[in-house]
Amino acid sequence: MTNNSKVVLGVAAAAAAGAVIGMMFAPEKGSDIREKLRETANNFASDLLDALQNGRTQYAQVAEEVEDAAQNAKSKVVGKVAEIKDRVESEAGQLAHTFKS
């Protein structure tokens, strides 16, 4: 978990705790407070799940981009290796021909 994630999670937890404490001291009936707490908890859980899903989506996108970049780099390296191999074989053949003469 990155520092940014920890900060966001900490702020969200503090906000939820503040909301709960605020409702506990509100001059309302217990059943109303419990209903508001339930709604707040459900909203918090929904927001947290949305944030997790967004994180998963972003992770999948970045993973795909990294995989594509790695494949492109691999293709370039394989091409360069083949090019160098051909050049070395050609020069070795020329040297062999030169020494035979």
Side-chain angles (χ1 to χ4, degrees):
M1 185 180 282
T2 65
N3 285 336
N4 290 340
S5 300
K6 290 177 185 177
V7 169
V8 169
L9 188 58
V11 168
V20 168
I21 291 170
M23 286 183 209
M24 296 300 268
F25 289 106
E28 295 181 34
K29 292 184 352 183
S31 60
D32 292 340
I33 291 174
R34 285 190 297 275
E35 181 60 31
K36 284 185 179 181
L37 283 173
R38 192 175 303 111
E39 288 175 10
T40 300
N42 287 338
N43 290 340
F44 177 72
S46 177
D47 291 346
L48 185 58
L49 289 174
D50 289 344
L52 288 172
Q53 185 59 40
N54 287 339
R56 286 181 184 143
T57 301
Q58 289 177 351
Y59 173 79
Q61 289 172 346
V62 169
E64 186 176 335
E65 290 173 8
V66 168
E67 187 175 339
D68 290 345
Q71 286 294 338
N72 289 338
K74 179 183 174 185
S75 296
K76 288 180 182 178
V77 168
V78 168
K80 286 291 184 183
V81 167
E83 181 183 317
I84 291 169
K85 179 184 172 195
D86 291 343
R87 194 174 342 152
V88 168
E89 287 175 350
S90 173
E91 289 181 17
Q94 289 175 359
L95 283 173
H97 181 65
T98 301
F99 285 122
K100 285 183 180 178
S101 303

